[in-house]
Amino acid sequence: MKKKERGLRELYESDPEKADATVWGRKASPLSRRGFLKKSGLAAITLAVGAHIPFFGKMPAGLIPVALAESPQNFEIEGKDGLRVLNDRPLNAETPPTLLNDSITPVNRHFVRNNGLVPGSAYDDNTKDWTLTIDGEVHQPKILTLDQLKQFKHYSYALQIECGGNGRAGYQPPAKGNQWTFGAVGCAQYTGVRMKDVLREVGLKDTAIYTGYYGSDIHLSGDPEKVTISRGTPIAKAMDNHTLIVWEMNGKPLPALHGFPARVVTPGWPASTSIKWLKRIFVRDRVHDGPKMTGQAYRTPKYPVPPGTHVPDEDMQIIESLPVKSLITHPQSRMTVTKDQSFLVRGHAWAGDRSVQDMHVSHDFGATWIRANLKDPINPYAWQDWEVNLKFAVKGYYEVWARATDSQGTMQPMVVPGWNPKGYLNNAMHRIAINVT
Ligand SMILES: Nc1nc2c(c(=O)[nH]1)N[C@H]1C(S)=C(S)[C@@H](COP(=O)(O)O)O[C@H]1N2
Ligand SMILES: [Mo]
C-alpha cells in the first residue's frame, strides 16, 4: 500500500468515526445530502449507495461514490446552512451574499477553506493534549497549554477575514484553484489573546522579522511529515493589537472546521495567514518560507501583466493588506420590486488594514452615484455595515452596483482588476440585478 494511503487506512480501522471526520471535515460524515448521510464509515456509505460494497477495503479514503456524486442534490455540510461547496476534499465552501447579511457572521454562515484534512484532534472535546510551541528568534522558547495561554489578558473583537482567492472566478483566463465568487469572507466575533502579548512574553530577539505559524491539519497525501500550509506575517503585523490567538468564535469554542482548539486571526490580510489548529509559532530571522509562502502561492506579480502571462517566481511578491471591497447582502439579485416602491439595499464594506470612508451605489451603470449610509466599524478590522433606500419610477431591468472607498481615497474598480496567475485580489464592485414591474 502506498504511504499516502496508510495513515488514513489505519485510522479507518482503529477509529472509523474520527477517520471519517478527518476525511470529510466533520464528525460522522460531515458532508452529507441533507438528512441522509447521517452515519459514518462503511455503514453510511453502504446506506448511501444502497448496497453492500464488496471492495470497500480498496476504496480510496475520501472518495465520493459516483452513485452519490451523480445525484442532482447539492452537498450539504453539517453545521453550515446554504453554503456552496466548491470542493469536498479538502473542504472548501463559500457563502452566498444574501446569507452574509448579519453584522456578525454566524458560524453556520462562515465560509470554510481547508488546504488539507481536519485533524482528528479537532473533534476531541478535550484540550489537555494541546500545546502551543513558540520558538525561533526568541529569548525564552515556551510550550504553552491552553490554560497557560488563557492566562494572558483576553480580548474580544469582531474581525473580518477574507480568502486571498475570493473573487477568483472573475478572472479570464481562469486561474486554477477554488472558483470563489463573493462569499469567501466573513466577520465573526473572536475571543482570545493578543499575539503581541505572547511574543513579548517569550521576548523577541533583534533578529526576529517574521512569524511562521503551523497547524496540525493533515496533508492530503496522509503523510504525517508533510505540512499543508504554514504562513506568517512580518513582526509588525503580528504585533498589531488586533492580531489574536483565539479559542472562541461567536462566544463558543472554535468549531472543528475553524481550528479547534485555537487559531490565529490576522484580520485584513489574506486569511491564509490565520492559521487554524495552531500548534507552533516559529519566529523567523527571514521572511517565512513555509509551504504556501513561496513560489506562486498567495503572491502576485510586482508589475501589471497581460492576462495569461507566466510570471517567474522572483517577480512575484507576497500579498499583505487586502484591498477595499464591499458586498450587497440584501436584496437578492434578480429580486422583483414594484415601481415607485422604496426598498432597502444593504451590505458590508471592508478595506484590509484601512477603514472604509465612503460607500456609494449606482443604479444607472455607474453614470451617477448615491451615497449610502455607512456605519463605523464596531472595532478596528470589523467590516462596516451600510444601507441605502432606492426607488424606481420606470419599469424595467436595473443593476445596482456598490462601490466602497477606503480611508486613503482608493475605490473599488468597476471591472475586474489586474489579472494575476493565481487569481488573487479581485475586489471589483459587486452588482445585483433588479426587476421593476
Ligand atoms: N492550518 C490551516 N490553517 C488555515 C488553512 C489551512 O488549510 N490549514 N487555510 C487558510 C486559508 S487559505 C483560509 S482562507 C482560512 C479560512 O478560514 P475559515 O475556514 O475559518 O473560514 O484559513 C486559513 N488557515
Ligand atoms: Mo485562503
Side-chain angles (χ1 to χ4, degrees), residues 19 99 106 132 168 183 197-198 203 206 217-218 226 254 262 265 288 292 342 353 359 366 390 396 400 411 418 424 428:
L99 296 185
L132 174 60
R168 177 175 291 139
D197 293 339
V198 174
D206 291 344
D217 43 338
I218 301 161
K226 278 198 181 156
L254 267 183
V265 177
H288 184 47
K292 308 236 164 165
S342 148
D353 284 341
M359 188 69 217
L390 292 182
V400 176
M411 290 175 186
Y424 298 119

Side-chain angles (χ1 to χ4, degrees), residues 290-304:
K292 308 236 164 165
M293 280 302 301
T294 57
Q296 305 271 311
Y298 301 105
R299 305 206 313 162
T300 51
K302 290 175 179 161
Y303 45 83

Side-chain angles (χ1 to χ4, degrees), residues 218-273:
I218 301 161
H219 193 269
L220 285 181
S221 64
D223 183 344
E225 303 300 315
K226 278 198 181 156
V227 177
T228 55
I229 181 171
S230 170
R231 306 202 67 231
T233 66
I235 291 294
K237 179 63 180 174
M239 300 298 278
D240 186 290
N241 283 340
H242 298 87
T243 299
L244 305 181
I245 304 171
V246 307
W247 55 81
E248 263 184 22
M249 185 176 184
N250 294 348
K252 298 233 173 72
L254 267 183
L257 289 180
H258 296 290
F260 181 87
R263 77 177 299 178
V264 179
V265 177
T266 308
W269 284 41
S272 50
T273 58

Side-chain angles (χ1 to χ4, degrees), residues 122-408:
Y123 296 94
D124 291 340
D125 294 333
N126 85 72
T127 50
K128 67 175 176 10
D129 295 335
W130 182 86
T131 57
L132 174 60
T133 301
I134 307 141
D135 60 358
E137 304 302 304
V138 301
H139 292 297
Q140 286 176 300
K142 268 196 171 43
I143 298 179
L144 301 176
T145 63
L146 197 57
D147 285 342
Q148 287 168 331
L149 184 71
K150 289 181 178 176
Q151 298 304 308
F152 292 90
K153 185 163 189 247
H154 296 189
Y155 293 85
S156 188
Y157 296 119
L159 301 171
Q160 58 86 6
I161 61 170
E162 180 179 18
C163 181
N166 194 22
R168 177 175 291 139
Y171 286 108
Q172 274 304 329
K176 280 207 198 101
N178 290 299
Q179 296 301 299
W180 305 107
T181 61
F182 302 101
V185 61
C187 182
Q189 182 85 22
Y190 294 98
T191 304
V193 298
R194 298 193 300 200
M195 184 66 73
K196 77 191 259 188
D197 293 339
V198 174
L199 293 179
R200 279 193 180 142
E201 175 73 13
V202 294
L204 292 174
K205 290 187 178 168
D206 291 344
T207 47
I209 68 155
Y210 223 91
T211 56
Y213 306 125
Y214 288 84
S216 58
D217 43 338
I218 301 161
H219 193 269
L220 285 181
S221 64
D223 183 344
E225 303 300 315
K226 278 198 181 156
V227 177
T228 55
I229 181 171
S230 170
R231 306 202 67 231
T233 66
I235 291 294
K237 179 63 180 174
M239 300 298 278
D240 186 290
N241 283 340
H242 298 87
T243 299
L244 305 181
I245 304 171
V246 307
W247 55 81
E248 263 184 22
M249 185 176 184
N250 294 348
K252 298 233 173 72
L254 267 183
L257 289 180
H258 296 290
F260 181 87
R263 77 177 299 178
V264 179
V265 177
T266 308
W269 284 41
S272 50
T273 58
S274 294
I275 290 293
K276 304 191 275 191
W277 313 288
L278 183 66
K279 65 174 183 192
R280 180 185 181 201
I281 300 170
F282 182 27
V283 179
R284 307 299 314 266
D285 62 359
R286 65 199 69 182
V287 174
H288 184 47
D289 49 7
K292 308 236 164 165
M293 280 302 301
T294 57
Q296 305 271 311
Y298 301 105
R299 305 206 313 162
T300 51
K302 290 175 179 161
Y303 45 83
V305 299
T309 308
H310 169 76
V311 183
D313 290 353
E314 60 271 24
D315 287 355
M316 303 284 275
Q317 61 193 3
I318 298 171
I319 302 169
E320 299 199 330
S321 173
L322 290 173
V324 61
K325 201 160 168 180
S326 63
L327 205 53
I328 302 167
T329 58
H330 179 86
Q332 185 156 16
S333 190
R334 298 191 224 183
M335 188 184 77
T336 297
V337 299
T338 317
K339 149 176 128 60
D340 293 323
Q341 180 203 330
S342 148
F343 64 100
L344 194 65
V345 177
R346 59 177 189 237
H348 316 288
W350 61 97
D353 284 341
R354 300 177 182 175
S355 60
V356 180
Q357 157 190 298
D358 230 341
M359 188 69 217
H360 291 86
V361 298
S362 175
H363 54 73
D364 52 13
F365 303 101
T368 61
W369 293 88
I370 304 161
R371 173 169 281 141
N373 173 12
L374 173 72
K375 285 200 191 147
D376 287 337
I378 309 176
N379 53 251
Y381 293 104
W383 61 18
Q384 292 170 243
D385 295 346
W386 58 268
E387 59 178 44
V388 64
N389 270 298
L390 292 182
K391 188 161 77 175
F392 297 122
V394 180
K395 290 179 190 174
Y397 175 86
Y398 294 80
E399 286 189 8
V400 176
W401 296 4
R403 186 188 76 195
T405 306
D406 73 19
S407 48
Q408 309 273 309

